[in-house]
Amino acid sequence: MKNVVVTDTTIGDVRGEEGFYHYRQYDATELARTSRFEDVWHLMIHGTLPDDAESAAFARRIGELRLLSPATVDLLRKVVTPEVEPLAALRLALASEGILERPLFDLTEGERTDAALRYAAIAPTVVAAAHRLSQGLDVIDADPTAGHVSDYLRMSTVSADDDAVSALQTYLITTIDHGFNASTFAGRVVASSGSDMTSSILGALGAFLGPLHGGAPGRALAALDEIGDPANTRDWVRGRIAAGEIIMGFGHAVYRTHDPRAELLKEVVTARYDSSLVRRATAVEAEIEAAINELKPGRRLYANVEFYAGVLMSEVGLPPSMFTPTFGVARIVGWTANVLEQAAERKIIRPVARYVGPEPRRGAFDR
C-alpha cells in the first residue's frame, strides 16, 4: 500500500519531491537546529511550542515520569541477558507497566494524554537499563532534574558532555515523526479500534523492529565497515546491485531528492567531529552516489537519515546495539502523538484488499 490517503492529520507531513518535512506548521529540521527535545515533544502532543513557563513545567513533568518503578527495574534485572536486545526489553516493560491500562475509547482526553506521556517518558530509561544489564552492569537511575536527552546519554554511557548531548538532541528531534511510516500507521490502526495506549505503542514497535524500518542505522554503519577504504566503494556497490541486494542507508520510499534529515546530520557530524569515521562516511557517500548514477543513469538515490545517524551515534559514544533503540526513544513521541489523534476520531481503520486469486463460484463444489 503506497500513497493511499487513509485519514487527515495535523501532526505533520513529508513532501518527498521537495525534500521537506514538518511537525505541525514548523520546518522539522529548523526545530532540530534551534529547539530542545522536550519543547518539540510539547508541540507534538499539545499542538503548540511552549512559552518559558510551559517549557519548564513540561520538562519537569517528563523528568518525573522518566523514573522507573522498582517492579519494572526488578523485572528487567530478572530477564535481561546478553542476548536480549534493548527494544525487546522495552516491549516487555511496556506490557508490564500497562497491564491494567484501560481502553483509549473509555478514557478522557486528559487521561489519554497522561498515558502517552508516561510511556514515552520511560522509554529511554528502559532502553538504557537493558543495555547496561546486557553488559553485566547495573542500572543507572534516571535523574528527574536533567534534560531528557542528557539523561538518556548519561544512563546509557555514564558520560554526557554538552557537545554530545547537543548532537544527539539534533538527531532525536529529526526522527520524532516522519509521516505515515509503517510503525506510525500500525500504531494508529491499533488505536483506531479503541484499544489501550500500550497496545497501540506495541503495535508500532512491532513494525519498527523490522530491518527495513527502524533496524537500518546499524546496518548502514556496518556497510561502511565492510567497504573499508572508500576506494573500494564502487566495486562494493556493483556487487550489491548485481546480487539484487539493498544498499542500506541509501534511498527512501518518499524522498526523490536529498533526505533533509541526512543533510542536517551530515552538517552536524562534519562540523563537530574531525574523525576518520566522518571523513570515510562523506567519501563513501559521494562514491556510492556516483556508482549508482553510473550503473543506473537517471535513478535518484541519495543517503537517507540512517547513513549519518549511525555515524553520529557512534561519535557520541553509543554502540551499534543502541542505534535502533535510540531511534525508538525519539519515535515513540511521534507514535503517541499519532495515537492520541487517532483515538480522538473514534473511528476504526478498515481498509479493503483486492482479491487476485481464482474466480470464486457460488454454491456446491467438488473437493
Side-chain angles (χ1 to χ4, degrees):
M1 189 166 67
K2 187 176 181 181
N3 295 329
V4 177
V5 176
V6 295
T7 192
D8 296 327
T9 182
T10 64
I11 292 173
D13 192 23
V14 181
R15 300 178 185 175
E17 293 292 339
E18 301 173 36
F20 172 76
Y21 75 114
H22 58 98
Y23 300 157
R24 305 294 183 178
Q25 68 269 40
Y26 300 97
D27 180 334
T29 57
E30 189 60 23
L31 287 170
R33 285 187 173 94
T34 61
S35 303
R36 295 176 63 210
F37 185 85
E38 290 92 333
D39 290 347
V40 181
W41 190 344
H42 185 283
L43 170 68
M44 299 301 286
I45 298 297
H46 296 296
T48 60
L49 285 172
D51 60 27
D52 289 347
E54 290 169 334
S55 175
F58 188 78
R60 186 164 53 249
R61 184 180 184 189
I62 294 302
E64 293 166 354
L65 291 172
R66 203 162 49 243
L67 293 165
L68 286 182
S69 68
T72 297
V73 174
D74 288 344
L75 176 63
L76 293 173
R77 287 192 175 116
K78 289 176 183 176
V79 303
V80 174
T81 65
E83 294 76 31
V84 174
E85 296 184 358
L87 285 179
L90 177 61
R91 183 169 53 192
L92 175 65
L94 289 172
S96 174
E97 287 273 345
I99 196 167
L100 298 178
E101 193 72 24
R102 293 160 54 210
L104 291 164
F105 192 83
D106 296 333
L107 301 182
T108 65
E109 180 181 356
E111 289 171 331
R112 293 196 296 266
T113 300
D114 288 346
L117 296 179
R118 176 188 173 199
Y119 296 117
I122 66 171
T125 316
V126 172
V127 164
H131 167 64
R132 287 183 57 80
L133 290 168
S134 72
Q135 305 298 307
L137 305 169
D138 202 8
V139 174
I140 295 177
D141 293 333
D143 176 2
T145 67
H148 199 66
V149 178
S150 175
D151 209 25
Y152 171 57
L153 196 55
R154 181 191 63 85
M155 290 187 291
S156 301
T157 69
V158 180
S159 175
D161 69 77
D162 290 345
D163 281 345
V165 171
S166 177
L168 184 59
Q169 177 168 258
T170 299
Y171 167 65
L172 293 177
I173 292 174
T174 66
T175 53
I176 282 176
D177 190 57
H178 203 243
F180 266 37
N181 54 80
S183 57
T184 296
F185 182 59
R188 289 189 72 127
V189 169
V190 177
S192 77
S193 72
S195 188
D196 59 273
M197 180 60 71
T198 47
S199 294
S200 300
I201 296 172
L202 290 171
L205 180 58
F208 183 77
L209 288 171
L212 295 180
H213 189 5
R219 292 168 184 254
L221 192 66
L224 275 178
D225 292 337
E226 188 178 333
I227 291 168
D229 189 328
N232 301 328
T233 304
R234 298 201 187 195
D235 286 340
W236 181 86
V237 172
R238 291 188 188 96
R240 300 285 292 188
I241 290 177
E245 296 177 343
I246 293 172
I247 299 176
M248 285 294 184
F250 278 76
H252 193 271
V254 178
Y255 290 118
R256 294 299 175 264
T257 183
H258 290 280
D259 185 333
R261 303 167 300 171
E263 293 294 292
L264 176 56
L265 298 187
K266 179 180 179 180
E267 178 185 315
V268 170
V269 297
T270 54
R272 292 177 181 272
Y273 302 104
D274 182 21
S275 68
S276 60
L277 173 60
V278 171
R279 291 191 295 272
R280 185 155 48 93
T282 56
V284 166
E285 178 197 12
E287 287 294 316
I288 288 178
E289 287 188 7
I292 291 170
N293 287 333
E294 172 190 315
L295 296 168
K296 297 189 175 184
R299 176 147 185 211
R300 295 180 290 176
L301 199 64
Y302 305 102
N304 59 38
V305 66
E306 284 86 11
F307 186 79
Y308 281 105
V311 175
L312 185 149
M313 284 187 274
S314 181
E315 292 290 357
V316 303
L318 292 167
S321 62
M322 286 288 277
F323 289 178
T324 299
T326 300
F327 186 1
V329 163
R331 187 53 62 87
I332 194 171
V333 172
W335 291 338
T336 52
N338 275 275
V339 166
L340 290 175
E341 184 177 65
Q342 189 65 51
E345 291 187 12
R346 302 175 77 84
K347 294 179 181 177
I348 194 166
I349 295 174
R350 178 61 169 88
V352 297
R354 181 173 57 249
Y355 177 72
V356 295
E359 182 66 25
R361 291 178 294 175
R362 295 179 182 273
F365 57 91
D366 296 328
R367 293 186 180 276

